[in-house]
């Protein structure tokens, strides 16, 4: 009789010594009328979700060697490896979710040397979003669920003139990972999944929040005109990439930085990584639902020639039509002061701070 095997994953109701939830891989092996069963536990609650394929492969191999060396299990190592690869395949499916557990192993292509900003900017209730539109990933956004604004968006600078679409998009997986990975228009999402606007608005900002603004408008962090691909340009029109921005700043000094200063600064650059963000303020729109940032900032690190990098940054108060040009180090120090906590680091240390 041919051998058979089965594997499943589940979250244990127990915690380890550090208080972390336990995650288990359960397996059942059958051959020649004999059964063997066992459970392997891990302190990583998110064994699969948000991991890259390479990371999952390493985790699976680690499990394989740990179990194959266990004297209490009567399982052929080769068959167990096949079994765990079956678990691995499930991980690949789970790990492709748009809302992930961190940017440590997800969306790394949008960060200089794969390193996202450090945790000093993380809000109390964060969501890490790999912005996916038309089955492609276009940029990364750290989203503040409580204030309903992005903390920052990270992308590659590839400018091209932008034609504004007529629709705005929302992020389905902020409601739950059982919803689609791709961003949808608000109307399409509500109809397709029979979700109410109230339910959607609990998880994120909606179009109604930006109605009847006075002196403010919908300001992009990651601007449409910094992308060469039509799908990428459309993806920037998600409300998870939008903040209430002073209308004079948005159409004046900030727009000049996005279109003119960036064009000048990136001359000679081969690849330019951008991280642009917003510092939360004390005021809100939409009856306290959506925060109005006190500052907007942008930073860039670009490759010039071979193994040579340069950087620059700007910051603007969100009630003045004025942008201050800074070094990367100066911006990180300013953000550290504004957030009042740990030293902020926006890029890998190989990006120059002066």
């Amino acid at each position: 009789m041919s051998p058979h095997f089965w594997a499943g994953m589940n979250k244990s109701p127990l915690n380890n010594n550090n208080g972390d939830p336990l995650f288990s891989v359960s397996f059942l092996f059958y051959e020649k009328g004999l059964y063997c069963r066992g459970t392997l536990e891990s302190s990583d609650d998110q064994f699969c979700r948000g991991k890259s394929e390479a990371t999952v492969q390493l985790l699976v191999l680690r499990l394989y060697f740990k179990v194959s060396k266990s004297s209490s299990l009567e399982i052929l190592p080769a068959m167990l490896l096949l079994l765990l690869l079956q678990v691995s395949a499930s991980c690949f499916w789970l790990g492709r979710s748009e809302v992930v557990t961190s940017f440590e192993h997800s969306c790394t292509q949008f960060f200089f040397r794969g390193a996202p900003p450090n945790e000093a900017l993380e809000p109390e209730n964060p969501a890490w979003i790999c912005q996916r539109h038309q089955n492609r990933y276009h940029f990364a956004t750290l989203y503040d669920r409580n204030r309903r604004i992005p903390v920052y968006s990270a992308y590659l600078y590839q400018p091209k003139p932008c034609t504004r679409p007529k629709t705005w998009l929302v992020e389905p997986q902020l409601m739950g990972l059982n919803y689609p990975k791709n961003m949808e228009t608000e109307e399409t999402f509500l109809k397709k999944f029979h979700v109410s606007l109230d339910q959607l608005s609990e998880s994120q900002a909606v179009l109604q929040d930006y109605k009847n603004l006075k002196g403010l408008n919908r300001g992009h962090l990651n601007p449409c005109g910094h992308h060469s691909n039509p799908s990428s340009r459309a993806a920037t029109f998600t409300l998870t990439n939008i903040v209430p921005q002073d209308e004079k700043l948005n159409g004046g000094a900030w727009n000049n930085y996005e279109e003119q200063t960036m064009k000048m600064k990136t001359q000679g650059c081969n690849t330019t990584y951008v991280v642009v963000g917003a510092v939360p303020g004390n005021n809100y729109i939409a009856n306290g639902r959506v925060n109005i940032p006190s500052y907007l900032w942008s930073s860039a690190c670009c490759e010039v020639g071979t193994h040579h990098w340069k950087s620059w940054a700007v910051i603007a108060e969100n009630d003045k039509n004025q942008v201050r040009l800074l070094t990367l180090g100066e911006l990180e120090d300013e953000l550290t002061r504004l957030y009042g906590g740990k030293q902020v680091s926006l890029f890998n240390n190989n990006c120059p701070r002066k």
Side-chain angles (χ1 to χ4, degrees), residues 43-209:
S43 61
D44 185 3
D45 180 38
Q46 300 289 342
F47 177 79
C48 300
R49 205 175 303 280
K51 301 288 192 301
S52 67
E53 292 190 7
T55 301
V56 171
Q57 289 171 346
L58 289 173
L59 289 171
V60 168
L61 288 174
R62 186 178 68 185
L63 290 176
Y64 163 63
F65 286 116
K66 183 174 181 179
V67 175
S68 65
K69 291 179 181 179
S70 173
S71 60
S72 62
L73 297 175
E74 299 290 333
I75 298 182
L76 295 174
M79 293 306 300
L80 181 57
L81 179 58
L82 290 174
L83 181 154
L84 288 172
L85 288 176
Q86 179 183 358
V87 175
S88 169
S90 299
C91 288
F92 296 160
W93 182 83
L94 288 170
R96 291 177 63 84
S97 294
E98 189 171 11
V99 173
V100 296
T101 56
S102 77
F103 291 139
E104 183 180 356
H105 300 293
S106 300
C107 295
T108 55
Q109 67 269 35
F110 303 116
F111 300 100
F112 172 53
R113 299 202 170 175
N118 67 351
E119 65 275 13
L121 297 178
E122 289 179 15
E124 181 180 350
N125 190 11
W128 292 266
I129 307 173
C130 292
Q131 299 283 12
R132 182 181 172 105
H133 183 51
Q134 297 179 346
N135 297 317
R136 289 184 58 189
Y137 294 105
H138 302 284
F139 61 103
T141 298
L142 176 60
Y143 190 72
D144 187 332
R145 292 176 180 267
N146 292 347
R147 296 183 177 95
R148 296 182 176 87
I149 59 170
V151 177
Y152 65 74
S153 285
Y155 61 95
L156 295 177
Y157 177 72
Q158 299 170 323
K160 193 171 183 179
C162 172
T163 301
R164 297 176 67 90
K166 296 180 180 179
T167 57
W168 289 83
L169 304 166
V170 295
E171 172 48 61
Q173 289 201 341
L174 284 177
M175 286 193 61
L177 296 179
N178 54 313
Y179 289 102
K181 307 170 192 175
N182 286 298
M183 54 185 76
E184 299 265 11
T185 66
E186 187 176 295
E187 181 180 8
T188 298
F189 178 65
L190 296 180
K191 288 182 178 179
K192 185 185 294 185
F193 295 93
H194 307 288
V195 174
S196 71
L197 182 60
D198 286 344
Q199 289 174 310
L200 177 63
S201 66
E202 288 178 5
S203 66
Q204 60 200 280
V206 294
L207 282 171
Q208 184 63 37
D209 293 325

Side-chain angles (χ1 to χ4, degrees), residues 341-352:
K342 183 178 178 181
Q343 175 67 41
V344 171
S345 176
L346 299 175
F347 291 99
N348 176 280
N349 288 336
N350 287 308
C351 187

